[in-house]
């Protein structure tokens, strides 16, 4: 049975009323204020039962989602420019994901790959080995979350090199576990009060063209110079196990390093026996218009971490890398009870199939070709927009006090709030909280995409 077929089982109106997925009407429609009465009621229950430390971008409770919309419990249909933070690349409840998951869940739900293996895990690893940059011999291992993948990539790099030090960047985000908190740059809210953090983590400046003191043209060469001399003077190349970088930074502000920086960094690592780890957790799986952001400059990392878009919303993450590095770890040295759970693997196979069949890297480039010119035109009209950047369907605008580099976080919050109250989910990010980022599902239809951008334009007119 296909995913779409699900909607016509039994009483048609009743069934389609409860299902999400791509057959949901693709429109923005508000039938109550935001949040509506049912969401407010759930919010009260949530406040009495869920820890305060978990916050929400938009306090509407979700009932269904699919394509480019999220429908809440009050019946409001919102445009989704967030994809659950770059996860539902193939859309929510995508047909092939639902089909594979449904079949798998009825066969078996868990054995633990370390107890009794199953083919879905192997198939996902085969796909990762094939799709990630480089045609060398690779191996993969699967985990539950992005942070866990990053932790394991560091474990593997340390084991393979016999070295301790890990080099990370300003504005980096790698997760919320103890090691990945140490690797993440921003204190509030990710690190405040949660120390002490793991040791042997060293931070170097990021090649951030908009804020580079010498200007964007000099950014690649100067940043490379600063980074390599800091590694030399403060770490020692011979002590560095790994350099870990997001090829397009995510939470830190959708920072795209200038051309030449990543290839230069990769060759410095190669020359010094340092494992080059690309954290493609947010930028990977078609998001930037290539399968992986590293593909843009033909950079071949030693290890790649993946999660988010890999499995259409189910929790799955991977580390993929050079066979000799991955296999340096002794049997039993990697793993975890749930890592590569069969249902999550089935979802990943459905999601990857969708990406191939629907040519989603090309779809991301189409989204860029529609969105970017309109964002650039917006920047000519509103001097509060200091920078427009990104790749594919990973785009952002950075807001500043006009004519300065002073972050305008309040303006970013006001624009986001206008969008939320008018039926569109959009996110902010950045070390200074002044970046609006856009991450639509790659399957979003053009009319809805255009409507979302128009709403954004309207939001700027209210500033
Ligand atoms: C680049 C990057 N690395 C790691 C993580 C952590 O992933 P998770 O939240 O699945 O642990 C994220 C999450 O936003 C991320 O964007």
């Amino acid at each position: 049975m296909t995913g779409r077929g699900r909607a016509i089982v039994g009483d048609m109106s009743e069934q389609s009323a409860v299902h999400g997925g791509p057959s949901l009407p693709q429109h923005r429609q508000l039938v109550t204020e935001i949040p509506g009465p049912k969401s407010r009621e759930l919010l009260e229950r949530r406040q009495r039962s869920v820890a305060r430390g978990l916050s929400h971008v938009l306090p509407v409770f979700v009932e269904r989602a699919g394509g480019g919309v999220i429908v809440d419990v009050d019946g409001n249909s919102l445009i989704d420019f967030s994809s659950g933070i770059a996860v539902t690349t193939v859309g929510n409840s995508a047909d092939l994901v639902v089909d594979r998951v449904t079949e798998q869940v009825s066969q078996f739900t868990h054995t633990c790959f370390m107890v009794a293996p199953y083919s879905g895990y192997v198939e996902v690893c085969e796909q990762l080995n094939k799709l990630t940059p480089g045609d060398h011999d690779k191996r993969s291992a699967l985990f539950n979350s992005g942070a866990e993948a990053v932790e394991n990539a560091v474990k593997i790099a340390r084991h393979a090199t016999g070295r301790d030090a890990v080099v990370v960047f300003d504005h980096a985000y790698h997760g919320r576990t103890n090691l990945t908190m140490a690797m993440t740059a921003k204190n509030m809210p990710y690190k405040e009060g949660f120390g002490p953090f793991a040791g042997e983590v060293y931070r170097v400046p990021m090649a951030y063209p908009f804020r580079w003191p010498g200007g964007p043209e000099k950014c690649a060469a100067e940043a490379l110079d600063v980074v390599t001399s800091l590694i030399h003077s403060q770490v020692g190349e011979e002590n560095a196990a790994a350099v870990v970088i997001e090829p397009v930074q995510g939470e830190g502000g959708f920072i795209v390093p200038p051309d030449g920086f990543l290839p230069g960094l990769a060759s410095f690592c190669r020359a010094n026996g340092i494992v080059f780890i690309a954290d493609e957790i947010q930028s990977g799986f078609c998001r930037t218009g290539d399968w992986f952001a590293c593909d843009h400059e033909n950079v071949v990392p030693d290890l790649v971490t993946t999660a988010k878009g890999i499995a259409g919303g189910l929790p799955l993450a991977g580390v993929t890398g050079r066979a000799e590095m991955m296999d340096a770890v002794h049997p039993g040295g990697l793993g975890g009870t749930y890592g590569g759970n069969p249902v999550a693997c089935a979802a990943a196979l459905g999601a990857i199939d969708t990406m191939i069949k629907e040519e989603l890297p090309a779809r991301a480039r189409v989204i860029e070709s529609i969105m970017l010119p309109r964002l650039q035109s917006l920047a000519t009209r509103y001097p509060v927009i200091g920078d427009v950047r990104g790749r594919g369907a990973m785009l952002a605008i950075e807001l500043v006090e006009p004519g300065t580099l002073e972050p305008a976080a309040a303006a970013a919050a006001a624009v986001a709030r206008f969008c939320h109250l008018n039926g569109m989910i959009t996110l902010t990010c950045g070390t200074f909280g002044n970046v609006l980022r856009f991450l639509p599902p790659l399957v979003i239809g053009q009319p809805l995409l255009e409507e979302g951008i128009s709403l954004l334009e309207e939001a700027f007119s209210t500033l």
Side-chain angles (χ1 to χ4, degrees):
M1 181 165 50
T2 68
R4 278 192 188 87
R6 288 170 296 131
I8 50 170
V9 178
D11 176 79
M12 205 169 149
S13 55
E14 207 177 288
Q15 288 293 324
S16 50
V18 293
H19 285 303
S23 57
L24 270 182
Q26 297 293 298
H27 62 196
R28 174 171 67 106
Q29 188 177 46
L30 296 188
V31 295
T32 71
E33 70 280 18
I34 297 289
K38 288 186 183 164
S39 278
R40 287 203 303 273
E41 204 181 305
L42 282 163
L43 211 56
E44 273 174 33
R45 281 172 53 194
R46 174 254 180 265
Q47 266 145 10
R48 287 194 299 272
S49 57
V50 181
R52 195 172 68 113
L54 292 132
S55 61
H56 313 292
V57 169
L58 183 56
V60 296
F61 280 74
V62 178
E63 190 176 83
R64 290 168 286 153
V69 298
I70 287 181
V71 179
D72 75 9
V73 288
D74 290 290
N76 298 300
S77 176
L78 309 152
I79 302 176
D80 181 12
F81 267 19
S82 74
S83 297
I85 321 186
V87 170
T88 49
T89 301
V90 296
N92 257 290
S93 302
D95 287 344
L96 296 181
V97 173
V98 172
D99 289 348
R100 293 257 195 172
V101 164
T102 308
E103 197 184 343
Q104 180 60 50
V105 90
S106 67
Q107 284 172 340
F108 65 97
T109 48
H110 175 83
T111 59
C112 184
F113 192 70
M114 301 181 306
V115 174
Y118 36 89
S119 63
Y121 191 115
V122 177
E123 284 170 48
V124 172
C125 291
E126 286 169 350
Q127 289 286 13
L128 280 167
N129 298 347
K130 194 162 80 190
L131 295 168
T132 50
D135 50 14
H136 50 281
D137 194 18
K138 295 177 203 158
R139 301 284 184 273
S140 289
L142 303 180
F143 304 97
N144 301 294
S145 68
E148 211 189 330
V150 173
E151 291 247 0
N152 278 280
V154 170
K155 278 168 64 173
I156 292 162
R158 284 179 168 158
H159 210 292
T161 58
R163 304 173 181 180
D164 294 337
V166 177
V167 178
V168 294
F169 288 81
D170 266 349
H171 311 287
Y173 183 87
H174 297 292
R176 295 173 182 266
T177 57
N178 189 262
L179 173 61
T180 58
M181 269 195 296
M183 296 170 69
T184 288
K186 190 172 175 176
N187 179 51
M188 194 66 183
Y190 308 124
K191 302 166 77 160
E192 175 65 31
F194 298 136
F197 304 112
E200 285 305 309
V201 175
Y202 299 86
R203 193 170 309 283
V204 293
M206 177 62 183
Y208 188 166
F210 178 60
R211 291 183 178 275
W212 192 257
E217 297 76 28
K218 294 191 179 157
C219 179
E222 288 185 1
L224 203 53
D225 198 35
V226 175
V227 166
T228 53
S229 52
L230 280 175
I231 294 174
H232 176 72
S233 60
Q234 296 190 11
V235 184
E237 291 87 341
E238 67 284 6
N239 300 316
V243 167
V244 187
I245 189 164
E246 298 155 81
V248 174
Q249 282 186 324
E251 307 300 302
F254 279 26
I255 300 163
V256 186
D259 280 355
F261 180 72
L262 289 176
L265 191 64
S267 67
F268 168 79
C269 288
R270 205 174 314 119
N272 291 286
I274 302 169
V275 179
F276 182 78
I277 302 177
D279 180 347
E280 292 257 17
I281 285 163
Q282 190 153 165
S283 59
F285 278 106
C286 314
R287 180 52 60 187
T288 63
D290 282 302
W291 274 93
F292 292 91
C294 280
D295 292 330
H296 179 77
E297 289 189 87
N298 295 319
V299 170
V300 178
D302 298 310
L303 302 180
V304 183
T305 56
T306 51
K308 290 192 181 276
I310 190 176
L314 272 81
L316 189 73
V319 180
T320 301
R322 296 188 186 283
E324 65 279 14
M325 286 179 188
M326 296 293 293
D327 284 344
V329 179
H330 48 273
L334 302 174
T337 305
Y338 294 113
N341 165 272
V343 182
C345 286
L349 294 171
I352 293 168
D353 224 7
T354 308
M355 291 176 204
I356 294 168
K357 288 194 171 120
E358 301 199 12
E359 298 180 16
L360 291 193
R363 290 282 285 273
R365 293 195 292 275
V366 170
I367 290 173
E368 176 181 332
S369 74
I370 294 167
M371 270 194 101
L372 200 57
R374 287 187 66 181
L375 296 178
Q376 282 160 342
S377 148
L378 202 59
T380 62
R381 280 174 283 147
Y382 295 99
V384 70
I385 301 178
D387 194 27
V388 177
R389 57 179 179 252
R391 278 206 190 112
M394 187 172 182
L395 300 172
I397 50 186
E398 177 161 357
L399 305 193
V400 290
E401 298 306 330
T404 74
L405 289 178
E406 194 61 37
V415 170
R417 185 167 163 73
F418 181 93
C419 292
H420 298 165
L421 295 180
N422 287 281
M424 179 164 83
I425 304 185
T426 190
L427 306 173
T428 56
C429 67
T431 302
F432 317 111
N434 63 327
V435 178
L436 286 156
R437 58 169 154 170
F438 311 109
L439 291 162
L442 302 188
V443 295
I444 192 170
Q446 183 162 344
L448 206 59
L449 181 69
E450 301 264 11
E451 188 180 343
I453 308 167
S454 299
L455 190 63
L456 183 72
E457 289 166 347
E458 205 184 318
F460 272 93
S461 74
T462 66
L463 277 183

